[in-house]
Amino acid sequence: MKKRSPSLRTRIFLATILLVFLASVLIAAVTIYQYNEQSTDYHEGRLRRKEQNIKTHLKRVLNGKQNTWEVKTENVPYIFKEEIYNIADIHKLQINLYDLDGTLLISSRAGLQKELAEKCLNAEILNGINNTADHRYVDRHQENGESFQSSYTYLTDQKSKTIAILNLPYLEKGDFLDNELQEFLERISVAFLFILLTAFAIAFLLSKYITKSLKTISDKMNETRLEKRNQKIDVDDTSEEISALVNSYNSMIDELEESAVKLATSEREQAWREMAKQVAHEIKNPLTPMRLTVQNFQRKFDPEDKKIHQKVDEYSKTLIQQIDTMSSIASAFSNFAKMPAQKNETLNVVEIVKLALDIFNENYIVFSSEAEEIIAKFDRTQLIRVVTNLVKNGIQAIPEDKTPRVTVNVGTEDNHVVIMVADNGAGVSEENLDKVFEPKFTTKTSGMGLGLAMVKNIVETHQGTITFVSEKDMGTTFKVSFPKD
């Protein structure tokens, strides 16, 4: 089975919600990325400022009056023996000083000298300091889930001569920025929830507005029928595309009406042509034996014949029989063709059906009803015609070698009157099931086959239906149903 796709309204609704959701997720992602970038810039700038301030402080110590040592690399541990701790405490940052070969000279962290005494700066750091324009190198790394920056730069004397390498290990504490980010995400979550609820309402109304015109067009198309006059679509405030669709539909309705008129005219002409052919054929059948009878009578006529009266009587009976056949043909065609105007009357269906059955003398016709009185609106004459035709059809369907039985039942079903006529005849063959109600169709050797077609027309004129079930050699049951009102 072909999988049914969602309706246009559902797709518009979901697309709008998805768009709002993706926009919110994108805003959150961009915000987090921006905060991370700002955090990185903040820590880099802060480290650079710390570094500049510490270098300035160290130079003051080197060039101060209290310094009695010669300013050179070997004397750096002695010059900053006490001051390095004060400087580190003031700037709240660990300070390490290395010689130009990368060997640790002094550190503000107690005990670090022993730990790093045998360790030197690697060549990558030394090359990084020496080969950059500002003689500065920053090493970034992660330890125990925390981010660290470690800057390396030259410390110079008053004459800008390099005397040591200044190292500042820096822990990127982002508590403040993390809190800011968390607060912002909480606020944007509340805003997103509000926007999402608003988007639900807007998407619902928008999808309803967009599909309203399409729903109107769809309903009109579903109501379009070839056999009735269809109303054109009149939709206000529509888009250019919807207006084009409406105009196309209205044009189609005009063309459909023209085609329906032409088709109805063609069908009527075809039906009358077929009926005329059938009538001509039926009339020719009795005319041929009549002609032969007259010619035979003319050829053998002898006034002196003693049996002349007997022969005239035989010839007359033959002619009268054929004339009666032609008369029945003419009556059947007339009844089918003129179909008198419908006159709805409020009547007791049970009583009318009994009245219709009174014309039959067969004692094997059995009548039953679920009530003594079933009131409905129907044309009295046409209801009698429906019942008599169905009963007559049932009688003629029973073979001579079978005990005949025809049952007629009147009842109700869902505010409808139901008349059932059943026989135990030969039934309808499978190839003829679709032809039963066609004009001129008959399986009998006489008649024009207009009875059931006429019954169908009468029932459908009263907004009813006629159906049947048939079983070969077991019989046929016709069911007529029409509304009470």
Side-chain angles (χ1 to χ4, degrees):
M1 294 179 63
K2 187 177 179 181
K3 188 176 180 180
R4 188 175 180 180
S5 59
S7 65
L8 177 61
R9 181 176 178 180
T10 302
R11 282 182 281 177
I12 293 174
F13 179 80
L14 294 178
T16 306
I17 297 302
L18 181 62
L19 183 62
V20 173
F21 177 77
L22 291 178
S24 301
V25 171
L26 182 61
I27 291 172
V30 171
T31 301
I32 293 173
Y33 174 79
Q34 183 66 23
Y35 264 87
N36 290 333
E37 289 295 312
Q38 287 181 355
S39 177
T40 301
D41 294 341
Y42 168 77
H43 288 297
E44 287 181 355
R46 186 166 184 261
L47 177 59
R48 188 178 288 274
R49 290 190 300 272
K50 290 274 187 181
E51 181 183 281
Q52 191 64 37
N53 293 335
I54 291 173
K55 284 177 69 176
T56 301
H57 202 154
L58 291 174
K59 285 182 180 181
R60 286 179 181 175
V61 174
L62 286 173
N63 301 322
K65 294 180 180 180
Q66 296 179 354
N67 179 23
T68 59
W69 296 89
E70 182 184 356
V71 179
K72 61 180 181 179
T73 303
E74 293 83 3
N75 294 333
V76 166
Y78 305 106
I79 296 172
F80 296 105
K81 183 176 181 180
E82 299 295 337
E83 289 297 326
I84 196 169
Y85 298 105
N86 294 330
I87 296 171
D89 184 58
I90 291 171
H91 295 282
K92 306 300 180 184
L93 206 64
Q94 179 184 332
I95 301 172
N96 301 320
L97 291 174
Y98 295 84
D99 64 16
L100 300 181
D101 293 327
T103 302
L104 180 66
L105 296 174
I106 189 171
S107 174
S108 65
R109 181 178 175 185
L112 188 64
Q113 283 86 348
K114 293 181 180 180
E115 183 180 341
L116 299 178
E118 298 180 357
K119 293 184 178 180
C120 297
L121 299 180
N122 58 43
E124 180 182 356
I125 295 174
L126 296 175
N127 290 332
I129 300 171
N130 187 50
N131 295 330
T132 55
D134 57 353
H135 298 292
R136 185 172 183 270
Y137 179 83
V138 179
D139 177 35
R140 294 181 175 84
H141 59 278
Q142 296 277 339
E143 288 184 15
N144 299 323
E146 295 182 324
S147 298
F148 288 87
Q149 292 189 53
S150 191
S151 70
Y152 299 87
T153 185
Y154 287 141
L155 178 65
T156 60
D157 60 9
Q158 194 173 8
K159 297 179 181 179
S160 298
K161 180 182 177 182
T162 303
I163 62 170
I165 297 174
L166 173 62
N167 169 231
L168 301 176
Y170 175 77
L171 172 62
E172 296 182 357
K173 291 183 178 180
D175 295 343
F176 173 75
L177 291 176
D178 290 343
N179 291 336
E180 284 288 313
L181 177 60
Q182 184 175 355
E183 289 180 5
F184 177 81
L185 291 178
E186 289 175 357
R187 294 191 191 103
I188 201 173
S189 297
V190 174
F192 166 70
L193 181 61
F194 175 75
I195 292 174
L196 187 63
L197 294 176
T198 305
F200 268 104
I202 294 176
F204 176 79
L205 296 175
L206 183 63
S207 61
K208 185 177 181 180
Y209 174 76
I210 292 175
T211 57
K212 180 180 179 182
S213 299
L214 295 178
K215 181 67 167 55
T216 301
I217 296 173
S218 175
D219 293 340
K220 287 291 185 181
M221 286 184 173
N222 289 333
E223 294 173 0
T224 303
R225 297 291 184 271
L226 182 63
E227 69 274 6
K228 72 174 187 178
R229 185 176 182 84
N230 299 290
Q231 297 294 327
K232 293 184 178 181
I233 298 176
D234 184 15
V235 180
D236 299 328
D237 300 329
T238 59
S239 63
E240 182 179 350
E241 293 79 5
I242 298 296
S243 296
L245 182 60
V246 169
N247 293 335
S248 299
Y249 174 81
N250 291 339
S251 299
M252 183 196 71
I253 290 299
D254 292 336
E255 295 175 1
L256 185 64
E257 289 183 358
E258 294 178 4
S259 299
V261 171
K262 293 179 181 178
L263 179 62
T265 302
S266 176
E267 287 180 346
R268 283 196 296 270
E269 292 177 354
Q270 181 66 23
W272 283 111
R273 280 195 292 269
E274 290 294 325
M275 193 61 67
K277 288 167 58 178
Q278 183 68 12
V279 171
H281 174 73
E282 295 292 339
I283 290 176
K284 283 183 180 179
N285 287 339
L287 285 177
T288 300
M290 288 175 66
R291 178 185 178 88
L292 293 176
T293 300
V294 172
Q295 289 176 342
N296 187 40
F297 177 76
Q298 184 181 19
R299 186 174 59 253
K300 295 183 177 181
F301 179 73
D302 183 6
E304 303 298 330
D305 190 352
K306 295 180 180 181
K307 297 183 179 181
I308 186 63
H309 295 289
Q310 180 182 351
K311 291 180 179 180
V312 170
D313 186 53
E314 291 177 358
Y315 293 150
S316 298
K317 288 182 179 179
T318 302
L319 292 175
I320 290 172
Q321 182 180 358
Q322 299 303 324
I323 291 172
D324 289 340
T325 301
M326 293 176 64
S327 177
S328 64
I329 293 171
S331 298
F333 178 72
S334 176
N335 289 335
F336 180 78
K338 68 182 181 181
M339 285 299 294
Q342 175 182 325
K343 297 179 182 178
N344 284 345
E345 307 172 59
T346 301
L347 45 82
N348 183 358
V349 178
V350 177
E351 181 182 338
I352 301 303
V353 173
K354 288 181 179 179
L355 182 64
L357 295 178
D358 286 343
I359 66 173
F360 297 98
N361 297 321
E362 290 79 3
N363 55 9
Y364 54 79
I365 298 177
V366 179
F367 173 77
S368 62
S369 174
E370 69 176 31
E372 288 294 327
E373 187 179 81
I374 298 177
I375 305 299
K377 287 186 177 181
F378 210 96
D379 186 287
R380 180 188 183 93
T381 304
Q382 293 184 8
L383 180 58
I384 293 174
R385 186 177 294 179
V386 167
V387 175
T388 54
N389 271 278
L390 290 176
V391 173
K392 183 179 179 181
N393 184 79
I395 294 172
Q396 294 175 346
I398 302 173
E400 295 181 358
D401 58 349
K402 199 170 188 180
T403 303
R405 179 177 175 82
V406 176
T407 61
V408 180
N409 176 265
V410 180
T412 57
E413 184 179 293
D414 296 333
N415 204 33
H416 280 62
V417 178
V418 177
I419 301 175
M420 308 282 286
V421 179
D423 63 68
N424 63 339
V428 182
S429 61
E430 187 173 350
E431 62 269 16
N432 291 331
L433 290 176
D434 297 332
K435 304 176 183 178
V436 169
F437 296 112
E438 289 184 4
K440 81 178 185 179
F441 171 76
T442 181
T443 57
K444 301 186 287 286
T445 56
S446 62
M448 294 185 63
L450 299 177
L452 291 178
M454 181 179 62
V455 168
K456 186 173 185 293
N457 284 344
I458 294 173
V459 173
E460 290 181 349
T461 300
H462 289 80
Q463 286 76 48
T465 59
I466 178 169
T467 57
F468 71 95
V469 291
S470 183
E471 189 175 349
K472 189 67 175 175
D473 297 325
M474 296 296 293
T476 304
T477 300
F478 282 88
K479 178 182 178 180
V480 175
S481 176
F482 56 88
K484 289 183 177 181
D485 297 327

